[in-house]
């Protein structure tokens, strides 16, 4: 009998939901400012996926750092790793599909899971210049299973059409991604309000579960395009007592994961 | 490129004169790590102009260069201050059109630099298929068919920077450059091989005999290097592990100051134009006591 946690917060629910997506055979690397994915990777490894390989900051193979202290690309995260992975080797593993799982967030996300982290407005004279595509410009086109997370579920983040496609999701929907020869793609979208996946035929975003206290109407109102909404929408599966204890006491006692809620723009 | 086994030790000012206005400058740096920032401050003080700066991950040094009016063009995959948020001078300059951002995915930019390093016209990748990155780079990225399978790939045109600037742990006078551990990040690995000239600042200059005792740490051989400058804490406020961590306080100060043009200017006055020498800069950021704290990061 697994004990369900009575009290938990949205950041904890997001970490736990993401952690449950990882499998024991996965090799997962993380990018910059990725406290929620890193906490989720460590939680998965400590619970249902002990065989999971984490490449810390895309460098430290199977690292065993102390609690998260900040900066998810910093060498402090590589502690007790078995190898510093030269980045050119990392890219060969990414291209060949050895590394198959990646987590991405961005300033804009559209109904087919395409992501923009480049500009708002025109590329040459943008209204807002965002940081840039970085690894998402690669991972979307390299057959990855992509997990999208965002702490700002608003119509500004979830838009009908992204201003710039920094990361290839399901492109124009249907079989358009497949026709370009790209495998896999976005699997799940985990936000501060709900969990969504993609309807297999149209590849449109579909509501899967809502977090406690959130209504289906509220999710739709905060999304800038019509979601596919099945008849029965369950409550997002709550964390267990074990997951919450590990997260709060061992993996992230300083609450680094909450830093991702600091900026409302999602642009940092 | 200086193939000679000669003494290449220079001052910051002498080495900065090897960078010309309008150059394509490949600048090392990875978020809060390993960036030749003492050299960047020197470039700003001598007032370089119209630079194209290549960084895989653009950071605080690039933002300073932009704020000081040294930059015309940026080639990078992302520009930010890592966990400290947006690079505001960069954002403002691109929004006003003052600076052009040439954005690539990481493997596209790596392919361009590796093609440069091999003297090939281009290398191919699949990175970025289906993205809008292809639409903005007709001069440097083209979708072509594989001659063997017909499968679509992206040709990434060679990029050869005029000068690469790096900060490392130590070197000898000839420019045998050592890292602890050996190069991991792409810029350290590929910039020196792709660039026409190479300037390296180091924490410490050691005897050639010391290099010969520890060749396992050498990442760049002397025949690639044009200038060696000894600058202790030359990456500050970035880190140079395992020697010292990044300076969280100064990053935070810049992240908030740079929200406005005036704040950015005041920051540059205080930390870049103000101190006449690197030693004065180190005093201004807290001196020996503050630096000792950064050494105790573990």
């Amino acid at each position: 009998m697994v004990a369900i946690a009575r009290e938990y917060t949205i950041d904890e629910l997001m970490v736990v939901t993401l952690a449950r997506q990882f499998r024991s055979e996965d090799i997962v690397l993380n990018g910059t400012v990725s406290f929620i994915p890193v906490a989720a990777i460590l939680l998965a490894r400590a619970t249902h996926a002990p065989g999971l390989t984490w490449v810390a900051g895309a460098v430290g193979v199977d690292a065993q750092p102390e609690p998260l202290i900040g900066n998810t690309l910093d060498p402090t995260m590589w502690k007790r790793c078995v190898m510093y992975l030269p980045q050119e080797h990392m890219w060969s593993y990414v291209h060949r599909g050895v590394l198959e799982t990646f987590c991405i967030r961005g300033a804009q996300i559209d109904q087919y899971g395409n992501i923009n982290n480049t500009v708002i407005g025109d590329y040459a004279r943008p209204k807002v210049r965002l940081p840039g595509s970085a690894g998402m410009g690669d991972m979307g086109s390299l057959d990855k299973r992509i997990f999208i997370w965002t702490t700002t579920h608003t119509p500004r983040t979830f838009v009908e059409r992204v201003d710039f496609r920094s990361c290839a999701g399901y492109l124009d929907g249907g079989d358009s991604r497949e026709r370009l020869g790209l495998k896999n793609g976005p699997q799940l979208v985990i936000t501060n309000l709900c969990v969504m996946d993609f309807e297999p035929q149209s590849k449109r975003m579909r509501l899967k579960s809502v977090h406690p206290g959130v209504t289906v109407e509220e999710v739709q109102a905060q999304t800038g395009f019509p979601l596919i909404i099945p008849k029965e929408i369950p409550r997002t599966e709550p964390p267990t007592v074990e997951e919450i204890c590990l997260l709060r006491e061992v993996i992230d006692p300083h609450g680094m994961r909450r830093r991702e809620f600091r900026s409302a723009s999602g642009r940092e | 490129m200086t193939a000679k086994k000669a003494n290449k030790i220079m001052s910051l000012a002498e080495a900065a004169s090897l960078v010309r206005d309008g150059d394509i400058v490949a600048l090392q740096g990875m978020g809060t790590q390993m960036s030749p920032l003492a050299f960047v401050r020197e470039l700003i003080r001598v007032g370089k102009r119209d630079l194209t700066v290549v960084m895989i991950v653009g950071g605080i040094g690039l933002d300073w260069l932009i704020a000081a009016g040294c930059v015309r063009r940026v080639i990078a995959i992302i520009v930010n201050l890592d966990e400290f948020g947006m690079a505001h001078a960069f954002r403002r300059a691109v929004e006003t059109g003052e600076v052009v951002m040439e954005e690539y995915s990481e493997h596209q930019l790596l392919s361009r630099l590796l093609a440069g390093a091999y003297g090939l016209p281009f290398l191919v990748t699949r990175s970025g298929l289906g993205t809008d990155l292809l639409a903005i780079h007709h001069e440097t990225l083209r979708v072509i068919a594989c001659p063997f399978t017909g499968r679509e790939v992206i040709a990434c045109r060679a990029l050869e920077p005029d000068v690469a600037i790096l900060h490392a742990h130590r070197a000898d006078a000839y420019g045998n450059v050592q890292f602890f551990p050996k190069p991991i990040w792409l810029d350290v690995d590929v910039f020196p091989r792709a660039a026409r000239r190479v300037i390296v600042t180091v924490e410490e200059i050691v005897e050639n005999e010391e290099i010969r005792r520890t060749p396992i740490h050498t990442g760049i051989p002397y025949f690639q290097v044009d200038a060696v400058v000894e600058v202790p804490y030359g990456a500050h406020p970035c880190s140079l592990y395992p020697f010292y961590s990044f300076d969280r306080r100064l990053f935070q100060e810049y992240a908030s100051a740079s929200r406005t043009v005036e704040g950015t200017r005041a920051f540059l006055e205080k930390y870049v134009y103000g101190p006449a020498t690197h030693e004065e800069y180190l005093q201004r950021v807290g001196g020996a006591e503050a630096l000792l704290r950064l050494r105790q990061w573990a």
Side-chain angles (χ1 to χ4, degrees):
Chain A
M1 177 80 188
V2 177
I4 299 302
R6 283 189 188 183
E7 277 182 87
Y8 54 91
T9 53
I10 288 300
D11 52 282
E12 289 164 345
L13 182 60
M14 286 181 70
V15 170
V16 167
T17 305
L18 182 56
R20 289 172 178 176
Q21 311 310 314
F22 299 134
R23 307 165 303 195
S24 216
E25 66 270 26
D26 286 342
I27 305 174
V28 192
L29 53 84
N30 70 272
T32 177
V33 200
S34 300
F35 298 108
I36 286 177
V38 167
I41 289 164
L42 290 171
L43 182 60
R45 197 171 66 176
T47 54
H48 69 278
L52 181 150
T53 298
W54 174 41
V55 185
V59 171
V61 179
D62 202 26
Q64 299 176 340
E66 285 137 28
L68 297 187
I69 54 169
N71 208 324
T72 54
L73 283 186
D74 196 64
T76 49
M77 302 285 272
W78 308 344
K79 278 184 185 165
R80 287 182 45 78
C81 70
V82 294
M83 180 185 179
Y84 299 132
L85 193 64
Q87 294 299 278
E88 216 191 315
H89 295 209
M90 188 272 287
W91 281 111
S92 84
Y93 293 139
V94 167
H95 275 252
R96 294 188 63 196
V98 175
L99 294 162
E100 209 195 14
T101 303
F102 198 68
C103 302
I104 298 177
R105 70 169 179 171
Q108 287 184 331
I109 303 160
D110 75 15
Q111 59 183 329
Y112 301 118
N114 303 300
I115 306 171
N116 172 20
N117 208 42
T118 298
V119 288
I120 303 295
D122 175 57
Y123 180 82
R125 271 312 272 283
K127 189 162 149 268
V128 182
R129 174 64 227 193
L130 302 163
S133 50
M136 74 172 69
D138 303 285
M139 299 301 179
S141 312
L142 296 175
D143 311 328
K144 301 304 144 208
R145 298 169 67 242
I146 291 167
F147 295 93
I148 301 171
W149 91 98
T150 177
T151 57
T152 55
H153 194 140
T154 67
R156 216 168 70 157
T157 301
F158 286 92
V159 295
E160 177 128 37
R161 206 183 154 79
V162 289
D163 289 16
F164 189 95
R165 204 180 271 169
S166 312
C167 177
Y170 291 110
L171 307 178
D172 302 312
D175 64 351
S176 55
R177 181 179 169 90
E178 220 177 308
R179 273 189 284 123
L180 205 59
L182 311 183
K183 299 190 193 81
N184 290 319
Q187 307 291 304
L188 215 59
V189 185
I190 299 169
T191 80
N192 54 317
L193 299 181
C194 66
V195 180
M196 296 168 288
D197 64 2
F198 295 86
E199 192 276 317
Q201 255 60 56
S202 67
K203 299 291 195 278
R204 279 174 55 206
M205 208 179 281
R206 175 173 72 180
L207 188 57
K208 195 161 183 279
S209 69
V210 290
H211 298 341
V214 179
T215 65
V216 172
E217 293 68 35
E218 197 180 333
V219 171
Q220 181 59 77
Q222 292 299 318
T223 307
F225 51 83
L227 284 165
I228 296 179
I229 300 179
K231 273 209 183 80
E232 298 293 320
I233 304 292
R235 180 77 53 86
T236 305
E237 207 58 49
T240 65
V241 170
E242 187 201 9
E243 285 166 332
I244 290 296
C245 286
L246 278 168
L247 187 55
R248 287 182 190 171
E249 286 158 32
V250 181
I251 292 165
D252 187 21
H254 305 301
M256 300 306 294
R257 61 192 181 276
R258 287 193 289 272
R259 284 193 172 202
E260 294 198 23
F261 291 80
R262 210 172 37 176
S263 112
S265 68
R267 284 172 192 159
E268 298 193 343
Chain B
M1 196 173 286
T2 309
K4 279 193 299 190
K5 209 188 284 184
N7 185 329
K8 294 163 191 167
I9 298 175
M10 294 185 192
S11 66
L12 274 177
E14 285 165 335
S17 70
L18 299 180
V19 179
R20 301 178 195 123
D21 287 349
D23 268 356
I24 302 175
V25 177
L27 189 66
Q28 177 200 29
M30 179 66 210
T32 53
Q33 302 168 46
M34 294 187 86
S35 199
L37 294 177
F39 194 87
V40 164
R41 289 186 289 272
E42 182 67 21
L43 288 178
I44 292 172
R45 279 191 295 265
V46 297
K48 295 293 173 194
R49 283 290 174 273
D50 298 320
L51 301 178
T52 291
V53 178
V54 185
M55 292 188 82
I56 310 277
V57 172
I60 195 166
L62 173 60
D63 213 50
W64 292 348
L65 283 164
I66 290 172
C70 306
V71 181
R72 181 74 203 105
R73 196 175 187 85
V74 173
I75 299 178
I77 69 168
I78 187 169
V79 180
N80 66 4
L81 302 181
D82 203 288
E83 64 176 289
F84 302 97
M86 305 276 280
H88 290 288
F90 161 79
R91 179 184 58 71
R92 283 190 294 265
V94 176
E95 287 167 8
T96 59
E98 196 185 316
V99 164
V100 175
M101 170 62 167
E102 204 177 314
E103 177 177 325
Y104 295 95
S105 81
E106 185 162 335
H107 200 260
Q108 288 169 353
L109 182 51
L110 173 62
S111 300
R112 290 200 63 198
L113 288 160
L114 278 174
Y118 280 105
L120 290 170
F122 65 87
L123 282 174
V124 298
T125 185
R126 291 176 65 226
S127 272
L129 283 173
T131 70
D132 287 335
L133 293 167
L134 301 180
I136 56 172
H137 292 311
H138 193 63
E139 293 306 310
T140 50
L141 300 179
R142 300 250 177 113
V143 176
I144 59 170
C146 164
F148 307 109
T149 63
R151 206 172 157 194
E152 283 193 340
V153 288
I154 304 163
C156 306
R157 190 177 191 167
L159 174 60
E160 289 177 73
D162 294 303
V163 53
I165 303 165
L166 298 103
H167 185 72
H169 297 80
R170 64 186 198 178
D172 67 8
Y174 306 130
N176 292 301
V177 184
Q178 294 198 323
F179 298 87
F180 298 80
K182 271 186 74 172
I184 296 164
W185 297 118
L186 289 173
D187 49 7
V188 187
D189 186 27
V190 74
F191 281 180
R193 292 186 283 144
R196 297 188 172 90
R197 303 188 295 280
V198 177
I199 298 168
V200 182
T201 64
V202 292
E203 292 292 310
E204 187 189 11
I205 290 174
V206 296
E207 293 297 322
N208 178 258
E209 270 309 308
E210 179 57 26
I211 303 284
R212 291 180 189 278
R213 268 194 293 274
T214 53
I216 196 166
H217 291 296
T218 309
I220 311 172
Y222 68 93
F223 57 77
Q224 281 206 293
V225 175
D226 297 87
V228 180
V229 187
E230 189 177 54
V231 195
Y233 297 100
H236 187 278
C238 278
S239 65
L240 188 72
Y241 291 106
F243 290 5
Y244 50 91
S245 176
F246 60 97
D247 189 335
R248 183 172 292 279
R249 193 198 59 77
L250 201 70
F251 262 96
Q252 255 150 7
E253 186 175 334
Y254 182 67
S256 32
S258 59
R259 286 177 182 279
T260 65
V261 174
E262 299 70 37
T264 312
R265 196 171 298 141
F267 182 96
L268 290 184
E269 278 304 328
K270 183 172 169 193
Y271 292 108
V272 180
Y273 295 111
T277 62
H278 182 60
E279 290 67 34
E280 274 182 42
Y281 166 83
L282 293 179
Q283 281 308 317
R284 191 150 299 188
V285 297
E289 198 184 321
L291 296 172
L292 188 66
R293 262 202 308 279
L294 297 180
R295 293 190 90 95
Q296 292 162 343
W297 60 275

